Amino acid sequence: EPTPEPTPEPTPQPTSCSSTLPPKSTYNEHKDTQCLAEIYDSRPNTRTLHNFHFGIAVSHASAQHDCKTACDWFPWCRAYTQCWRNSKSNPKSWRLWTCRMLVDETIFWSDPTVLAEKKKADEEGRPFPADDTGEPKKFEFPRPCPQEIDWYGVTSLWLSNRCGNLCPEVYEKTVYGSGSTAPRPYSEGSSGDSYCNCYQKH
């Protein structure tokens, strides 16, 4: 009898970039608070400036304030403060206002992408993430899977440094640890009101 042809092995499907990303995180919500690192200069942290944190510096407003998506992408983002505001002329219409992503320094400085960006910056003679004057105010950071994941049409991610002239001190003295929070009460202003919530990863 003729020898049967061997069954060909199925062609493996190419691995999609998005399948390599960490699963979407779940968060604890703390209303009317802001997220903080746990320790600054060996003491419990109480001030916004005493945090290793980034904002999002892209031109599209919806992406600029989309803390959750960006925080989901990066293991080093351990929490974020998200704020909303309205206007006196339209008090029922709340819109996202600002975003601050809290960085776990131990995860950040061991992240292969971060180390590659730091090496590139060193070779080009520029500070990363920022020097003692808070420069650069913003820097480009590799965005996961721009070909697969649509993010309001934005393909490049820029992060903004939020520590001003305290940056090197913040990098050295801040310990995210388990994170902490501080009250950020509902605020009434002449042009509108605002409130903020803290979201910490489980």
PDB file of all heavy atoms in Angstrom, residues 84-104:
ATOM      1  N   TRP A  84     -11.663  65.945  37.496  1.00  0.00           N
ATOM      2  CA  TRP A  84     -12.718  66.418  36.600  1.00  0.00           C
ATOM      3  C   TRP A  84     -13.059  67.855  36.978  1.00  0.00           C
ATOM      4  O   TRP A  84     -12.870  68.263  38.128  1.00  0.00           O
ATOM      5  CB  TRP A  84     -13.981  65.574  36.760  1.00  0.00           C
ATOM      6  CG  TRP A  84     -13.892  64.186  36.258  1.00  0.00           C
ATOM      7  CD1 TRP A  84     -14.346  63.692  35.069  1.00  0.00           C
ATOM      8  CD2 TRP A  84     -13.335  63.048  36.945  1.00  0.00           C
ATOM      9  NE1 TRP A  84     -14.107  62.347  34.974  1.00  0.00           N
ATOM     10  CE2 TRP A  84     -13.487  61.917  36.102  1.00  0.00           C
ATOM     11  CE3 TRP A  84     -12.715  62.891  38.186  1.00  0.00           C
ATOM     12  CZ2 TRP A  84     -13.047  60.650  36.469  1.00  0.00           C
ATOM     13  CZ3 TRP A  84     -12.265  61.630  38.545  1.00  0.00           C
ATOM     14  CH2 TRP A  84     -12.440  60.528  37.687  1.00  0.00           C
ATOM     15  N   ARG A  85     -13.596  68.598  36.004  1.00  0.00           N
ATOM     16  CA  ARG A  85     -14.099  69.934  36.317  1.00  0.00           C
ATOM     17  C   ARG A  85     -15.294  70.260  35.427  1.00  0.00           C
ATOM     18  O   ARG A  85     -15.492  69.649  34.380  1.00  0.00           O
ATOM     19  CB  ARG A  85     -13.002  70.993  36.167  1.00  0.00           C
ATOM     20  CG  ARG A  85     -12.495  71.219  34.770  1.00  0.00           C
ATOM     21  CD  ARG A  85     -11.412  72.275  34.775  1.00  0.00           C
ATOM     22  NE  ARG A  85     -10.793  72.439  33.471  1.00  0.00           N
ATOM     23  CZ  ARG A  85      -9.749  73.212  33.238  1.00  0.00           C
ATOM     24  NH1 ARG A  85      -9.187  73.885  34.228  1.00  0.00           N
ATOM     25  NH2 ARG A  85      -9.244  73.322  32.020  1.00  0.00           N
ATOM     26  N   ASN A  86     -16.069  71.240  35.877  1.00  0.00           N
ATOM     27  CA  ASN A  86     -17.192  71.717  35.083  1.00  0.00           C
ATOM     28  C   ASN A  86     -17.053  73.223  34.900  1.00  0.00           C
ATOM     29  O   ASN A  86     -16.026  73.810  35.255  1.00  0.00           O
ATOM     30  CB  ASN A  86     -18.530  71.349  35.740  1.00  0.00           C
ATOM     31  CG  ASN A  86     -18.736  72.056  37.071  1.00  0.00           C
ATOM     32  OD1 ASN A  86     -17.939  72.916  37.476  1.00  0.00           O
ATOM     33  ND2 ASN A  86     -19.801  71.703  37.780  1.00  0.00           N
ATOM     34  N   SER A  87     -18.054  73.857  34.351  1.00  0.00           N
ATOM     35  CA  SER A  87     -18.049  75.313  34.218  1.00  0.00           C
ATOM     36  C   SER A  87     -19.329  75.862  34.834  1.00  0.00           C
ATOM     37  O   SER A  87     -20.345  75.155  34.913  1.00  0.00           O
ATOM     38  CB  SER A  87     -17.951  75.727  32.746  1.00  0.00           C
ATOM     39  OG  SER A  87     -19.098  75.288  32.034  1.00  0.00           O
ATOM     40  N   LYS A  88     -19.272  77.097  35.268  1.00  0.00           N
ATOM     41  CA  LYS A  88     -20.456  77.717  35.868  1.00  0.00           C
ATOM     42  C   LYS A  88     -21.614  77.768  34.879  1.00  0.00           C
ATOM     43  O   LYS A  88     -22.786  77.667  35.252  1.00  0.00           O
ATOM     44  CB  LYS A  88     -20.124  79.132  36.359  1.00  0.00           C
ATOM     45  CG  LYS A  88     -19.193  79.178  37.553  1.00  0.00           C
ATOM     46  CD  LYS A  88     -19.805  78.496  38.778  1.00  0.00           C
ATOM     47  CE  LYS A  88     -18.896  78.640  39.995  1.00  0.00           C
ATOM     48  NZ  LYS A  88     -19.360  77.831  41.135  1.00  0.00           N
ATOM     49  N   SER A  89     -21.273  77.900  33.575  1.00  0.00           N
ATOM     50  CA  SER A  89     -22.322  77.996  32.565  1.00  0.00           C
ATOM     51  C   SER A  89     -22.947  76.638  32.257  1.00  0.00           C
ATOM     52  O   SER A  89     -24.040  76.558  31.709  1.00  0.00           O
ATOM     53  CB  SER A  89     -21.761  78.602  31.279  1.00  0.00           C
ATOM     54  OG  SER A  89     -20.702  77.796  30.778  1.00  0.00           O
ATOM     55  N   ASN A  90     -22.219  75.551  32.608  1.00  0.00           N
ATOM     56  CA  ASN A  90     -22.734  74.205  32.316  1.00  0.00           C
ATOM     57  C   ASN A  90     -22.346  73.271  33.465  1.00  0.00           C
ATOM     58  O   ASN A  90     -21.513  72.379  33.303  1.00  0.00           O
ATOM     59  CB  ASN A  90     -22.162  73.708  30.979  1.00  0.00           C
ATOM     60  CG  ASN A  90     -22.904  72.491  30.451  1.00  0.00           C
ATOM     61  OD1 ASN A  90     -23.870  72.021  31.059  1.00  0.00           O
ATOM     62  ND2 ASN A  90     -22.455  71.963  29.330  1.00  0.00           N
ATOM     63  N   PRO A  91     -22.957  73.446  34.637  1.00  0.00           N
ATOM     64  CA  PRO A  91     -22.487  72.739  35.833  1.00  0.00           C
ATOM     65  C   PRO A  91     -22.708  71.236  35.811  1.00  0.00           C
ATOM     66  O   PRO A  91     -22.064  70.511  36.577  1.00  0.00           O
ATOM     67  CB  PRO A  91     -23.297  73.390  36.961  1.00  0.00           C
ATOM     68  CG  PRO A  91     -24.502  73.958  36.295  1.00  0.00           C
ATOM     69  CD  PRO A  91     -24.060  74.378  34.928  1.00  0.00           C
ATOM     70  N   LYS A  92     -23.596  70.738  34.960  1.00  0.00           N
ATOM     71  CA  LYS A  92     -23.848  69.294  34.929  1.00  0.00           C
ATOM     72  C   LYS A  92     -22.916  68.551  33.978  1.00  0.00           C
ATOM     73  O   LYS A  92     -22.945  67.327  33.911  1.00  0.00           O
ATOM     74  CB  LYS A  92     -25.309  69.029  34.538  1.00  0.00           C
ATOM     75  CG  LYS A  92     -26.309  69.475  35.597  1.00  0.00           C
ATOM     76  CD  LYS A  92     -27.726  69.087  35.221  1.00  0.00           C
ATOM     77  CE  LYS A  92     -28.713  69.499  36.314  1.00  0.00           C
ATOM     78  NZ  LYS A  92     -30.102  69.137  35.971  1.00  0.00           N
ATOM     79  N   SER A  93     -22.127  69.285  33.219  1.00  0.00           N
ATOM     80  CA  SER A  93     -21.225  68.669  32.239  1.00  0.00           C
ATOM     81  C   SER A  93     -19.807  68.628  32.802  1.00  0.00           C
ATOM     82  O   SER A  93     -19.092  69.634  32.807  1.00  0.00           O
ATOM     83  CB  SER A  93     -21.258  69.466  30.926  1.00  0.00           C
ATOM     84  OG  SER A  93     -20.368  68.904  29.988  1.00  0.00           O
ATOM     85  N   TRP A  94     -19.425  67.452  33.297  1.00  0.00           N
ATOM     86  CA  TRP A  94     -18.081  67.271  33.856  1.00  0.00           C
ATOM     87  C   TRP A  94     -17.147  66.728  32.783  1.00  0.00           C
ATOM     88  O   TRP A  94     -17.501  65.841  32.028  1.00  0.00           O
ATOM     89  CB  TRP A  94     -18.123  66.308  35.032  1.00  0.00           C
ATOM     90  CG  TRP A  94     -18.827  66.869  36.223  1.00  0.00           C
ATOM     91  CD1 TRP A  94     -20.155  66.757  36.525  1.00  0.00           C
ATOM     92  CD2 TRP A  94     -18.249  67.655  37.259  1.00  0.00           C
ATOM     93  NE1 TRP A  94     -20.448  67.414  37.682  1.00  0.00           N
ATOM     94  CE2 TRP A  94     -19.298  67.980  38.169  1.00  0.00           C
ATOM     95  CE3 TRP A  94     -16.960  68.122  37.524  1.00  0.00           C
ATOM     96  CZ2 TRP A  94     -19.078  68.734  39.305  1.00  0.00           C
ATOM     97  CZ3 TRP A  94     -16.742  68.868  38.664  1.00  0.00           C
ATOM     98  CH2 TRP A  94     -17.786  69.169  39.533  1.00  0.00           C
ATOM     99  N   ARG A  95     -15.933  67.250  32.737  1.00  0.00           N
ATOM    100  CA  ARG A  95     -14.961  66.753  31.763  1.00  0.00           C
ATOM    101  C   ARG A  95     -13.640  66.439  32.473  1.00  0.00           C
ATOM    102  O   ARG A  95     -13.304  67.052  33.498  1.00  0.00           O
ATOM    103  CB  ARG A  95     -14.726  67.758  30.638  1.00  0.00           C
ATOM    104  CG  ARG A  95     -14.110  69.071  31.054  1.00  0.00           C
ATOM    105  CD  ARG A  95     -14.080  70.046  29.878  1.00  0.00           C
ATOM    106  NE  ARG A  95     -13.385  71.273  30.200  1.00  0.00           N
ATOM    107  CZ  ARG A  95     -13.891  72.293  30.874  1.00  0.00           C
ATOM    108  NH1 ARG A  95     -15.127  72.216  31.331  1.00  0.00           N
ATOM    109  NH2 ARG A  95     -13.174  73.375  31.106  1.00  0.00           N
ATOM    110  N   LEU A  96     -12.925  65.461  31.918  1.00  0.00           N
ATOM    111  CA  LEU A  96     -11.625  65.116  32.479  1.00  0.00           C
ATOM    112  C   LEU A  96     -10.721  66.336  32.403  1.00  0.00           C
ATOM    113  O   LEU A  96     -10.709  67.069  31.405  1.00  0.00           O
ATOM    114  CB  LEU A  96     -11.003  63.954  31.705  1.00  0.00           C
ATOM    115  CG  LEU A  96     -11.649  62.589  31.925  1.00  0.00           C
ATOM    116  CD1 LEU A  96     -11.040  61.569  30.978  1.00  0.00           C
ATOM    117  CD2 LEU A  96     -11.471  62.129  33.361  1.00  0.00           C
ATOM    118  N   TRP A  97      -9.950  66.524  33.459  1.00  0.00           N
ATOM    119  CA  TRP A  97      -9.171  67.753  33.558  1.00  0.00           C
ATOM    120  C   TRP A  97      -7.670  67.464  33.625  1.00  0.00           C
ATOM    121  O   TRP A  97      -6.884  68.048  32.899  1.00  0.00           O
ATOM    122  CB  TRP A  97      -9.648  68.531  34.780  1.00  0.00           C
ATOM    123  CG  TRP A  97      -8.817  69.693  35.178  1.00  0.00           C
ATOM    124  CD1 TRP A  97      -8.137  70.556  34.345  1.00  0.00           C
ATOM    125  CD2 TRP A  97      -8.566  70.140  36.503  1.00  0.00           C
ATOM    126  NE1 TRP A  97      -7.503  71.504  35.072  1.00  0.00           N
ATOM    127  CE2 TRP A  97      -7.749  71.278  36.413  1.00  0.00           C
ATOM    128  CE3 TRP A  97      -8.964  69.696  37.759  1.00  0.00           C
ATOM    129  CZ2 TRP A  97      -7.305  71.975  37.533  1.00  0.00           C
ATOM    130  CZ3 TRP A  97      -8.539  70.389  38.871  1.00  0.00           C
ATOM    131  CH2 TRP A  97      -7.719  71.523  38.748  1.00  0.00           C
ATOM    132  N   THR A  98      -7.260  66.589  34.492  1.00  0.00           N
ATOM    133  CA  THR A  98      -5.824  66.365  34.614  1.00  0.00           C
ATOM    134  C   THR A  98      -5.557  64.918  35.010  1.00  0.00           C
ATOM    135  O   THR A  98      -6.458  64.205  35.447  1.00  0.00           O
ATOM    136  CB  THR A  98      -5.200  67.317  35.649  1.00  0.00           C
ATOM    137  OG1 THR A  98      -3.773  67.262  35.551  1.00  0.00           O
ATOM    138  CG2 THR A  98      -5.604  66.935  37.072  1.00  0.00           C
ATOM    139  N   CYS A  99      -4.302  64.521  34.837  1.00  0.00           N
ATOM    140  CA  CYS A  99      -3.903  63.135  35.079  1.00  0.00           C
ATOM    141  C   CYS A  99      -2.494  63.133  35.648  1.00  0.00           C
ATOM    142  O   CYS A  99      -1.609  63.800  35.116  1.00  0.00           O
ATOM    143  CB  CYS A  99      -3.959  62.395  33.732  1.00  0.00           C
ATOM    144  SG  CYS A  99      -2.881  60.970  33.598  1.00  0.00           S
ATOM    145  N   ARG A 100      -2.306  62.414  36.742  1.00  0.00           N
ATOM    146  CA  ARG A 100      -0.970  62.251  37.317  1.00  0.00           C
ATOM    147  C   ARG A 100      -0.751  60.768  37.598  1.00  0.00           C
ATOM    148  O   ARG A 100      -1.490  60.172  38.380  1.00  0.00           O
ATOM    149  CB  ARG A 100      -0.823  63.060  38.615  1.00  0.00           C
ATOM    150  CG  ARG A 100      -0.800  64.558  38.416  1.00  0.00           C
ATOM    151  CD  ARG A 100      -0.333  65.298  39.666  1.00  0.00           C
ATOM    152  NE  ARG A 100      -1.208  65.064  40.803  1.00  0.00           N
ATOM    153  CZ  ARG A 100      -2.276  65.791  41.085  1.00  0.00           C
ATOM    154  NH1 ARG A 100      -2.633  66.780  40.282  1.00  0.00           N
ATOM    155  NH2 ARG A 100      -3.004  65.537  42.160  1.00  0.00           N
ATOM    156  N   MET A 101       0.266  60.196  36.968  1.00  0.00           N
ATOM    157  CA  MET A 101       0.576  58.776  37.136  1.00  0.00           C
ATOM    158  C   MET A 101       1.717  58.625  38.138  1.00  0.00           C
ATOM    159  O   MET A 101       2.801  59.191  37.952  1.00  0.00           O
ATOM    160  CB  MET A 101       0.965  58.147  35.797  1.00  0.00           C
ATOM    161  CG  MET A 101      -0.135  58.175  34.781  1.00  0.00           C
ATOM    162  SD  MET A 101       0.253  57.180  33.314  1.00  0.00           S
ATOM    163  CE  MET A 101       1.624  58.116  32.623  1.00  0.00           C
ATOM    164  N   LEU A 102       1.477  57.850  39.195  1.00  0.00           N
ATOM    165  CA  LEU A 102       2.483  57.626  40.236  1.00  0.00           C
ATOM    166  C   LEU A 102       3.409  56.472  39.832  1.00  0.00           C
ATOM    167  O   LEU A 102       2.937  55.405  39.434  1.00  0.00           O
ATOM    168  CB  LEU A 102       1.807  57.299  41.562  1.00  0.00           C
ATOM    169  CG  LEU A 102       1.341  58.444  42.454  1.00  0.00           C
ATOM    170  CD1 LEU A 102       2.509  59.135  43.100  1.00  0.00           C
ATOM    171  CD2 LEU A 102       0.490  59.445  41.695  1.00  0.00           C
ATOM    172  N   VAL A 103       4.697  56.703  39.968  1.00  0.00           N
ATOM    173  CA  VAL A 103       5.710  55.752  39.509  1.00  0.00           C
ATOM    174  C   VAL A 103       6.312  55.000  40.694  1.00  0.00           C
ATOM    175  O   VAL A 103       6.724  55.608  41.687  1.00  0.00           O
ATOM    176  CB  VAL A 103       6.836  56.494  38.745  1.00  0.00           C
ATOM    177  CG1 VAL A 103       7.928  55.521  38.318  1.00  0.00           C
ATOM    178  CG2 VAL A 103       6.262  57.230  37.536  1.00  0.00           C
ATOM    179  N   ASP A 104       6.352  53.680  40.581  1.00  0.00           N
ATOM    180  CA  ASP A 104       7.101  52.859  41.532  1.00  0.00           C
ATOM    181  C   ASP A 104       8.545  52.841  41.050  1.00  0.00           C
ATOM    182  O   ASP A 104       8.855  52.276  39.992  1.00  0.00           O
ATOM    183  CB  ASP A 104       6.533  51.442  41.587  1.00  0.00           C
ATOM    184  CG  ASP A 104       7.222  50.576  42.633  1.00  0.00           C
ATOM    185  OD1 ASP A 104       8.471  50.578  42.672  1.00  0.00           O
ATOM    186  OD2 ASP A 104       6.530  49.897  43.401  1.00  0.00           O
TER     187      ASP A 104
END
